[in-house]
Amino acid sequence: MELDVVIIGAGAAGMMCAIEAGRRGRKVLLIDHAKAAGEKIRISGGGRCNFTNLEIAPERFLSENPRFALSALKRFTQWDFIARVDAAGISWHEKTLGQLFCDRSAKDIIALLLNDMAAAGVTLWLETAVAKVRKTEHGFDVTTGRGQVRCRSLVIASGGKSIPKMGATGFGYDIAAQFNIACVPTRPALVPLTFSEHELAHMAPLAGTSVSAAVGFDGTEFREGLLFTHRGLSGPSILQISSYWQEGQAITVDLCVGERVSETLKILKQSAGKISIKNALARTLPEKLAGLMTSLAGVTGTLADQSNKDLERLAGLVHSWALKPVGTEGYRTAEVTMGGISTDALNAKTMETKDVSGLYFIGEVVDVTGWLGGYNFQWAWSSGWAAGQVV
Ligand code: FDA
């Protein structure tokens, strides 16, 4: 079978690229080993797909070259994707921090992409494995479970390693290795952090408790929800900082953002000195968390028993709790994979590899990782669109 374009991976990036190339009259084949296209879209955003963010900006993407993503993000913006969502009659809402979700279901986004692919004449092969890729004089031979196909352009859109249970593989990195294309080491990101037995013993009784917090690492800070779990810490602020955190280092947690806990406690001491220090703090924090903080600060008794210095020490802990994670929950639960195909190896405008003509990488397999909140889908749409204009 002879084609203009073969795309491997029918996720967000692969489908967008297929639509654009098909609209340009290219003969396009999209291959995926999964049973259905867009499986990650289906489960994303709690089933409602946080499909983009109103506040897309290059500094909200991590990469060895943070400027790389700029070109694609500028050429196919969040507004361009919103226009497609609107044209398809999909209703949506902003949840928080510019995050846009479908009102009804993530399946609406998949239907939009499948409809556009059908209209653009794209052929979709599901449950099809790719055994081998070979460079030829005019393009590539791709050996698949349904036989051999030939193409001029080959696009790798196979995503990262996150959630192997859903079919994630290291396929894209293997293809990069085959063609000597540089890769930035990968690691799980947007992922819950885990703690030592010792620290977990303190935290485990709080499992299920959530607070609004500011979580920081090395000058970067996120003010969002934080959730105590049986394994450690999760919630948006923790997922966000996991992309920045480095092994062996501590994160800092402010459990009472925007309030001056020492002042609050000192004032309360004047009017209600007889209440226990734990209950006094529980006016600001969930009760179990107040218990943990007072015990870690080593303060007991009533408010009146505490010196101002004790109250300041306790408040210091509440506002700047230093915690040293031992690791992350790994690819099993990570939303994304950091690292991947080095942006140095790619043309920022087209996503074509500089050294292998006709070979493209798009989406999460590339060393571009967005913040939590629709940034990663926007990168998939933008990079897929960019390649789709030229393949
Ligand atoms: P994606 O992983 O979507 O697609 C890759 C495709 O390649 C898959 O269909 C896979 O089956 C296929 N494939 C892999 N190996 C193959 C092989 N060897 N042969 C054939 N096919 C192969 N982002 C966001 O912006 N908003 C959100 O709400 C969420 N929510 C979210 C929830 C959860 C639980 C996860 C795990 C992730 C998110 N994300 C997210 C991240 C987002 O899902 C992710 O960044 C994009 O799906 C990446 O799109 P890609 O098309 O690059 O890869």
Side-chain angles (χ1 to χ4, degrees), residues 5-81:
V5 188
V6 167
I7 304 169
I8 301 174
M15 289 199 274
M16 177 57 87
C17 181
I19 292 164
E20 291 305 304
R23 284 181 177 173
R24 288 174 42 246
R26 295 289 191 265
K27 204 171 164 197
V28 182
L29 170 65
L30 177 57
I31 300 176
D32 203 297
H33 64 177
K35 279 200 175 105
E39 279 293 87
K40 277 200 183 157
I41 300 176
R42 186 176 56 80
I43 60 154
S44 68
R48 291 224 162 89
C49 186
N50 177 192
F51 55 82
T52 191
N53 194 293
L54 295 176
E55 287 156 31
I56 298 292
E59 59 275 14
R60 295 177 175 200
F61 292 83
L62 293 89
S63 168
E64 287 215 330
N65 175 5
R67 312 251 350 130
F68 175 83
L70 193 60
S71 166
L73 292 170
K74 266 186 152 172
R75 290 172 70 220
F76 187 82
T77 68
Q78 65 273 41
W79 307 109
D80 294 317
F81 193 74

Coordinates of all heavy atoms in Angstrom, one line a residue, residues 5-81:
V5 N 1.4 9.8 3.8 CA 1.8 10.0 5.2 C 1.3 8.8 6.0 O 0.2 8.4 5.9 CB 1.1 11.2 5.8 CG1 1.6 11.5 7.2 CG2 1.3 12.4 4.9
V6 N 2.2 8.2 6.8 CA 1.8 7.3 7.9 C 2.1 7.9 9.2 O 3.2 8.5 9.5 CB 2.6 5.9 7.8 CG1 2.4 5.1 9.0 CG2 2.1 5.2 6.5
I7 N 1.1 7.9 10.1 CA 1.2 8.4 11.4 C 1.0 7.3 12.4 O 0.0 6.5 12.3 CB 0.1 9.5 11.7 CG1 0.2 10.6 10.6 CG2 0.3 10.1 13.1 CD1 -1.0 11.6 10.6
I8 N 2.0 7.2 13.3 CA 1.8 6.1 14.3 C 1.4 6.7 15.7 O 2.2 7.5 16.3 CB 3.2 5.3 14.4 CG1 3.5 4.7 13.1 CG2 3.0 4.2 15.5 CD1 4.8 4.0 13.0
G9 N 0.2 6.3 16.1 CA -0.3 6.8 17.4 C -1.6 7.7 17.1 O -1.5 8.8 16.6
A10 N -2.8 7.1 17.4 CA -4.0 7.9 17.2 C -4.5 8.5 18.5 O -5.6 8.3 19.0 CB -5.1 6.9 16.7
G11 N -3.6 9.3 19.1 CA -3.9 10.1 20.2 C -4.2 11.5 19.8 O -4.5 11.8 18.6
A12 N -4.2 12.5 20.7 CA -4.5 13.9 20.3 C -3.7 14.4 19.2 O -4.2 15.0 18.2 CB -4.4 14.7 21.6
A13 N -2.4 14.2 19.3 CA -1.4 14.8 18.3 C -1.6 14.1 17.0 O -1.7 14.8 15.9 CB 0.0 14.7 18.8
G14 N -1.6 12.8 17.0 CA -1.7 12.0 15.8 C -3.0 12.3 15.0 O -3.0 12.5 13.8
M15 N -4.1 12.4 15.7 CA -5.4 12.7 15.0 C -5.4 14.1 14.4 O -5.8 14.3 13.3 CB -6.5 12.5 16.0 CG -6.8 11.0 16.3 SD -8.4 10.6 16.9 CE -8.2 10.9 18.6
M16 N -4.9 15.1 15.2 CA -4.8 16.4 14.7 C -4.0 16.5 13.4 O -4.3 17.1 12.4 CB -4.3 17.4 15.7 CG -4.1 18.8 15.3 SD -5.7 19.5 14.7 CE -6.4 20.2 16.2
C17 N -2.8 15.8 13.4 CA -1.9 15.8 12.3 C -2.6 15.2 11.1 O -2.5 15.7 9.9 CB -0.6 15.1 12.6 SG 0.6 15.1 11.3
A18 N -3.3 14.1 11.3 CA -4.0 13.3 10.3 C -5.0 14.2 9.6 O -5.2 14.3 8.4 CB -4.6 12.1 10.8
I19 N -5.8 14.9 10.4 CA -6.9 15.8 9.9 C -6.2 16.9 9.0 O -6.7 17.1 7.8 CB -7.6 16.5 11.0 CG1 -8.4 15.5 11.8 CG2 -8.5 17.7 10.5 CD1 -8.9 16.0 13.2
E20 N -5.2 17.5 9.4 CA -4.6 18.6 8.7 C -4.0 18.1 7.4 O -4.1 18.7 6.3 CB -3.5 19.3 9.5 CG -4.1 20.1 10.7 CD -5.2 21.1 10.2 OE1 -4.8 21.9 9.4 OE2 -6.3 21.0 10.7
A21 N -3.3 17.0 7.4 CA -2.6 16.4 6.2 C -3.7 16.0 5.2 O -3.6 16.2 4.0 CB -1.7 15.3 6.6
G22 N -4.8 15.3 5.8 CA -5.9 14.9 4.9 C -6.6 16.0 4.2 O -6.9 16.0 3.0
R23 N -6.7 17.1 5.0 CA -7.4 18.3 4.4 C -6.6 18.9 3.2 O -7.1 19.6 2.4 CB -7.6 19.4 5.4 CG -8.8 19.0 6.4 CD -9.0 20.1 7.4 NE -10.1 19.8 8.2 CZ -10.5 20.5 9.3 NH1 -9.8 21.6 9.7 NH2 -11.6 20.2 10.0
R24 N -5.3 18.6 3.3 CA -4.4 19.2 2.2 C -4.3 18.2 1.0 O -3.5 18.3 0.1 CB -3.0 19.4 2.8 CG -2.9 20.6 3.7 CD -1.5 20.8 4.3 NE -0.4 20.5 3.4 CZ 0.4 19.5 3.5 NH1 0.3 18.6 4.5 NH2 1.4 19.4 2.6
G25 N -5.2 17.2 1.1 CA -5.2 16.2 0.0 C -4.2 15.1 0.1 O -4.1 14.3 -0.9
R26 N -3.5 15.0 1.2 CA -2.6 13.9 1.3 C -3.3 12.6 1.6 O -4.3 12.6 2.3 CB -1.6 14.2 2.5 CG -0.7 15.3 2.2 CD 0.3 15.0 1.2 NE 1.4 16.0 1.1 CZ 1.4 17.0 0.3 NH1 0.4 17.2 -0.6 NH2 2.4 17.9 0.2
K27 N -2.7 11.5 1.1 CA -3.3 10.1 1.4 C -2.7 9.7 2.8 O -1.4 9.5 2.9 CB -2.9 9.2 0.3 CG -3.8 8.0 0.2 CD -3.4 7.2 -1.1 CE -4.1 5.9 -1.0 NZ -3.5 4.9 -1.9
V28 N -3.5 9.7 3.8 CA -3.0 9.5 5.2 C -3.5 8.2 5.8 O -4.7 7.9 5.7 CB -3.5 10.7 6.1 CG1 -2.9 10.5 7.5 CG2 -3.1 12.0 5.5
L29 N -2.6 7.5 6.4 CA -2.9 6.3 7.2 C -2.5 6.5 8.7 O -1.3 6.9 8.9 CB -2.2 5.0 6.7 CG -2.3 3.8 7.5 CD1 -3.7 3.3 7.6 CD2 -1.4 2.7 7.0
L30 N -3.4 6.4 9.6 CA -3.2 6.5 11.0 C -3.3 5.2 11.7 O -4.3 4.5 11.5 CB -4.2 7.5 11.6 CG -4.2 7.8 13.1 CD1 -2.8 8.4 13.5 CD2 -5.3 8.8 13.4
I31 N -2.2 4.8 12.4 CA -2.1 3.4 12.9 C -2.0 3.5 14.4 O -1.3 4.3 15.0 CB -0.8 2.7 12.4 CG1 -0.8 2.6 10.9 CG2 -0.7 1.3 13.1 CD1 0.4 2.0 10.3
D32 N -2.8 2.6 15.1 CA -2.6 2.5 16.6 C -2.8 1.1 17.0 O -3.6 0.4 16.4 CB -3.7 3.4 17.3 CG -3.3 3.8 18.7 OD1 -3.1 2.9 19.5 OD2 -3.1 5.0 19.0
H33 N -2.1 0.7 18.0 CA -2.3 -0.7 18.5 C -3.4 -0.9 19.5 O -3.8 -2.0 19.8 CB -1.0 -1.3 19.1 CG -0.5 -0.5 20.3 ND1 0.6 -0.9 21.0 CD2 -1.0 0.5 20.9 CE1 0.8 -0.1 22.0 NE2 -0.1 0.8 22.0
A34 N -4.0 0.3 19.9 CA -5.1 0.2 20.8 C -6.4 -0.1 20.1 O -6.5 -0.1 18.9 CB -5.2 1.5 21.6
K35 N -7.4 -0.5 20.9 CA -8.7 -0.9 20.4 C -9.5 0.4 19.9 O -10.4 0.3 19.0 CB -9.6 -1.5 21.5 CG -9.3 -3.0 21.7 CD -10.5 -3.6 22.4 CE -10.2 -5.1 22.5 NZ -9.9 -5.5 23.9
A36 N -9.2 1.5 20.5 CA -9.9 2.8 20.1 C -9.0 3.9 20.0 O -7.9 3.9 20.7 CB -11.0 3.1 21.2
A37 N -9.3 4.9 19.2 CA -8.5 6.1 19.1 C -8.8 7.0 20.3 O -9.9 7.0 20.9 CB -8.8 6.8 17.8
G38 N -7.8 7.8 20.7 CA -8.0 8.8 21.7 C -8.3 8.3 23.1 O -9.1 9.0 23.8
E39 N -7.7 7.2 23.5 CA -8.1 6.7 24.8 C -7.7 7.6 26.0 O -8.5 7.7 27.0 CB -7.4 5.3 25.0 CG -8.1 4.2 24.3 CD -9.5 3.9 24.9 OE1 -10.5 4.6 24.5 OE2 -9.6 3.1 25.8
K40 N -6.6 8.3 25.8 CA -6.3 9.3 26.9 C -7.2 10.5 27.0 O -7.4 11.0 28.0 CB -4.8 9.7 26.8 CG -3.9 8.7 27.4 CD -2.5 9.2 27.8 CE -1.7 8.1 28.3 NZ -0.3 8.3 28.2
I41 N -7.7 10.8 25.8 CA -8.6 11.9 25.8 C -9.9 11.5 26.5 O -10.4 12.2 27.4 CB -9.0 12.3 24.3 CG1 -7.8 12.8 23.5 CG2 -10.1 13.4 24.3 CD1 -8.1 13.0 22.0
R42 N -10.3 10.2 26.3 CA -11.5 9.7 26.9 C -11.4 9.8 28.5 O -12.4 10.2 29.1 CB -11.7 8.3 26.5 CG -13.1 7.7 26.9 CD -13.3 6.3 26.4 NE -12.2 5.4 26.7 CZ -12.1 4.8 27.9 NH1 -13.0 5.0 28.8 NH2 -11.1 3.9 28.1
I43 N -10.3 9.5 29.0 CA -10.2 9.4 30.5 C -9.8 10.8 31.1 O -9.7 10.9 32.3 CB -9.3 8.3 31.0 CG1 -7.8 8.5 30.5 CG2 -9.8 6.9 30.7 CD1 -6.8 7.9 31.4
S44 N -9.4 11.7 30.2 CA -8.8 12.9 30.7 C -9.8 13.8 31.4 O -11.0 13.7 31.2 CB -8.2 13.7 29.6 OG -9.2 14.2 28.7
G45 N -9.3 14.7 32.3 CA -10.1 15.7 33.0 C -11.3 15.0 33.7 O -12.4 15.6 33.6
G46 N -11.1 13.9 34.3 CA -12.2 13.2 35.0 C -13.3 12.8 34.0 O -14.5 12.8 34.4
G47 N -13.0 12.6 32.7 CA -14.0 12.2 31.8 C -14.6 13.4 31.0 O -15.5 13.2 30.2
R48 N -14.1 14.6 31.4 CA -14.7 15.8 30.7 C -13.6 16.5 29.8 O -13.9 17.5 29.2 CB -15.3 16.8 31.7 CG -16.5 16.3 32.3 CD -17.6 17.4 32.4 NE -18.9 16.8 32.6 CZ -19.5 16.6 33.8 NH1 -18.8 16.9 34.9 NH2 -20.7 16.2 33.9
C49 N -12.4 16.0 29.8 CA -11.3 16.5 29.0 C -11.0 18.0 29.2 O -11.8 18.8 28.6 CB -11.5 16.2 27.5 SG -10.1 16.7 26.5
N50 N -10.0 18.3 29.9 CA -9.5 19.7 30.0 C -8.7 19.9 28.7 O -7.5 19.7 28.7 CB -8.7 19.8 31.2 CG -8.1 21.1 31.5 OD1 -7.2 21.3 32.3 ND2 -8.5 22.1 30.7
F51 N -9.4 20.3 27.6 CA -8.9 20.3 26.3 C -7.9 21.4 26.0 O -7.1 21.3 25.0 CB -10.0 20.2 25.2 CG -11.0 21.3 25.3 CD1 -10.8 22.5 24.7 CD2 -12.2 21.0 25.9 CE1 -11.7 23.5 24.8 CE2 -13.2 22.0 26.0 CZ -12.9 23.3 25.4
T52 N -7.9 22.5 26.7 CA -6.9 23.6 26.5 C -7.0 24.5 27.7 O -7.7 24.2 28.7 CB -7.1 24.3 25.2 OG1 -5.9 25.1 25.0 CG2 -8.3 25.3 25.2
N53 N -6.2 25.6 27.7 CA -6.1 26.5 28.7 C -6.1 27.9 28.1 O -5.4 28.1 27.1 CB -4.9 26.3 29.6 CG -5.0 27.1 30.9 OD1 -5.0 28.3 30.9 ND2 -5.2 26.4 32.0
L54 N -6.9 28.9 28.7 CA -6.9 30.2 28.2 C -5.6 30.9 28.3 O -5.3 31.9 27.6 CB -8.0 31.0 28.9 CG -9.4 30.6 28.7 CD1 -10.4 31.4 29.6 CD2 -9.8 30.6 27.2
E55 N -4.7 30.4 29.2 CA -3.5 31.2 29.5 C -2.3 30.5 29.0 O -1.2 30.5 29.7 CB -3.5 31.4 31.0 CG -4.5 32.5 31.5 CD -4.9 32.4 32.9 OE1 -4.1 32.0 33.7 OE2 -6.0 32.7 33.2
I56 N -2.4 29.9 27.8 CA -1.2 29.3 27.2 C 0.0 30.3 27.1 O -0.2 31.4 26.6 CB -1.5 28.7 25.9 CG1 -2.6 27.7 25.9 CG2 -0.3 28.2 25.1 CD1 -2.3 26.4 26.6
A57 N 1.1 29.9 27.7 CA 2.3 30.8 27.6 C 3.5 29.9 27.6 O 3.5 28.8 28.3 CB 2.4 31.8 28.7
P58 N 4.6 30.2 26.8 CA 5.7 29.3 26.7 C 6.3 28.9 28.1 O 6.8 27.8 28.2 CB 6.7 30.0 25.9 CG 6.2 31.4 25.7 CD 4.8 31.4 26.0
E59 N 6.3 29.9 29.1 CA 7.0 29.5 30.3 C 6.2 28.5 31.1 O 6.6 28.1 32.2 CB 7.2 30.8 31.2 CG 6.0 31.6 31.5 CD 5.6 32.6 30.4 OE1 6.1 32.5 29.3 OE2 4.8 33.5 30.7
R60 N 5.0 28.1 30.6 CA 4.2 27.0 31.3 C 4.5 25.7 30.7 O 3.7 24.7 30.9 CB 2.8 27.4 31.2 CG 2.5 28.7 32.1 CD 1.2 29.2 32.1 NE 1.2 30.3 33.0 CZ 0.1 30.8 33.6 NH1 -1.0 30.3 33.3 NH2 0.2 31.9 34.4
F61 N 5.6 25.6 29.9 CA 6.0 24.3 29.3 C 7.4 24.1 29.8 O 8.3 25.0 29.7 CB 5.9 24.3 27.8 CG 4.5 24.4 27.3 CD1 3.8 25.6 27.3 CD2 3.8 23.3 27.0 CE1 2.5 25.7 26.9 CE2 2.4 23.3 26.6 CZ 1.8 24.6 26.5
L62 N 7.8 22.8 30.1 CA 9.1 22.5 30.5 C 9.8 21.7 29.4 O 9.2 20.9 28.8 CB 9.1 21.6 31.8 CG 8.6 22.2 33.1 CD1 7.1 22.0 33.2 CD2 9.4 21.6 34.2
S63 N 11.1 22.1 29.1 CA 11.8 21.5 28.0 C 13.3 22.0 28.2 O 13.5 23.0 28.9 CB 11.3 22.0 26.7 OG 12.1 21.7 25.6
E64 N 14.2 21.2 27.7 CA 15.6 21.7 27.7 C 15.7 23.0 26.9 O 16.5 23.8 27.2 CB 16.5 20.7 27.2 CG 16.7 19.5 28.1 CD 18.1 18.9 28.2 OE1 18.8 18.9 27.2 OE2 18.4 18.4 29.3
N65 N 14.8 23.2 25.9 CA 14.7 24.5 25.2 C 13.3 25.0 25.3 O 12.5 24.7 24.5 CB 15.1 24.3 23.8 CG 14.9 25.5 22.9 OD1 14.6 26.6 23.5 ND2 15.1 25.4 21.6
P66 N 13.0 25.8 26.4 CA 11.6 26.2 26.6 C 11.1 27.1 25.5 O 9.9 27.2 25.4 CB 11.8 27.1 27.9 CG 13.1 26.7 28.5 CD 14.0 26.3 27.4
R67 N 11.9 27.6 24.6 CA 11.4 28.5 23.5 C 10.9 27.6 22.3 O 10.3 28.1 21.4 CB 12.5 29.4 23.0 CG 13.2 30.2 24.1 CD 12.9 31.6 24.3 NE 12.2 32.4 23.3 CZ 11.2 33.1 23.5 NH1 10.7 33.3 24.8 NH2 10.6 33.8 22.6
F68 N 11.3 26.3 22.3 CA 11.0 25.5 21.2 C 9.5 25.4 20.8 O 9.1 25.5 19.7 CB 11.5 24.1 21.4 CG 11.1 23.1 20.3 CD1 11.9 23.0 19.1 CD2 10.0 22.3 20.4 CE1 11.6 22.1 18.1 CE2 9.7 21.4 19.4 CZ 10.4 21.4 18.2
A69 N 8.7 25.3 21.9 CA 7.2 25.1 21.7 C 6.5 26.4 21.1 O 5.4 26.3 20.6 CB 6.6 24.7 23.0
L70 N 7.2 27.5 21.3 CA 6.6 28.8 21.0 C 6.0 28.9 19.6 O 4.8 29.3 19.4 CB 7.6 29.9 21.2 CG 7.1 31.3 21.2 CD1 6.1 31.5 22.3 CD2 8.3 32.3 21.4
S71 N 6.7 28.4 18.6 CA 6.3 28.6 17.2 C 5.0 27.8 17.0 O 4.0 28.4 16.5 CB 7.4 28.0 16.3 OG 6.9 27.9 15.0
A72 N 4.9 26.6 17.3 CA 3.7 25.8 17.1 C 2.6 26.4 17.9 O 1.4 26.5 17.4 CB 4.0 24.3 17.4
L73 N 2.8 26.7 19.2 CA 1.8 27.3 20.0 C 1.2 28.6 19.5 O 0.0 28.9 19.7 CB 2.3 27.5 21.5 CG 2.6 26.2 22.3 CD1 3.4 26.6 23.6 CD2 1.4 25.4 22.6
K74 N 2.0 29.3 18.8 CA 1.6 30.6 18.3 C 0.8 30.4 17.0 O -0.1 31.2 16.6 CB 2.8 31.5 17.9 CG 3.1 32.4 19.1 CD 4.2 33.3 18.6 CE 4.2 34.7 19.3 NZ 5.4 35.4 18.9
R75 N 1.2 29.4 16.2 CA 0.5 29.2 14.9 C -0.8 28.5 15.0 O -1.7 28.7 14.3 CB 1.5 28.4 14.0 CG 2.7 29.3 13.6 CD 3.7 28.5 12.8 NE 3.3 28.1 11.5 CZ 3.5 26.9 11.0 NH1 4.2 26.0 11.7 NH2 3.1 26.6 9.8
F76 N -0.9 27.6 16.0 CA -2.3 27.0 16.2 C -2.5 27.1 17.7 O -2.0 26.4 18.6 CB -2.3 25.5 15.8 CG -3.7 24.9 15.9 CD1 -4.6 25.1 14.9 CD2 -4.1 24.2 17.1 CE1 -5.9 24.6 15.0 CE2 -5.4 23.7 17.2 CZ -6.3 23.9 16.1
T77 N -3.3 28.1 18.1 CA -3.4 28.6 19.4 C -4.6 27.9 20.1 O -5.4 27.2 19.5 CB -3.7 30.1 19.5 OG1 -5.0 30.4 18.9 CG2 -2.6 30.9 18.7
Q78 N -4.8 28.2 21.4 CA -6.0 27.7 22.2 C -7.2 28.2 21.5 O -8.2 27.5 21.5 CB -5.9 28.1 23.6 CG -5.9 29.6 24.0 CD -4.5 30.2 24.0 OE1 -3.7 30.0 23.1 NE2 -4.3 31.1 24.9
W79 N -7.2 29.5 21.0 CA -8.4 30.0 20.3 C -8.8 29.3 19.1 O -9.9 29.1 18.8 CB -8.2 31.5 20.0 CG -7.7 32.3 21.2 CD1 -6.5 32.8 21.5 CD2 -8.5 32.5 22.4 NE1 -6.4 33.3 22.7 CE2 -7.6 33.2 23.4 CE3 -9.8 32.2 22.8 CZ2 -8.0 33.6 24.6 CZ3 -10.2 32.6 24.1 CH2 -9.3 33.3 25.0
D80 N -7.7 28.8 18.3 CA -8.0 28.0 17.2 C -8.7 26.7 17.5 O -9.6 26.2 16.9 CB -6.7 27.7 16.4 CG -6.1 28.9 15.8 OD1 -6.8 29.8 15.3 OD2 -4.9 29.1 16.0
F81 N -8.3 26.1 18.6 CA -8.9 24.8 19.0 C -10.3 25.1 19.6 O -11.3 24.4 19.2 CB -8.1 24.0 20.0 CG -8.6 22.6 20.2 CD1 -8.3 21.7 19.2 CD2 -9.3 22.2 21.3 CE1 -8.9 20.4 19.3 CE2 -9.9 21.0 21.4 CZ -9.6 20.0 20.4

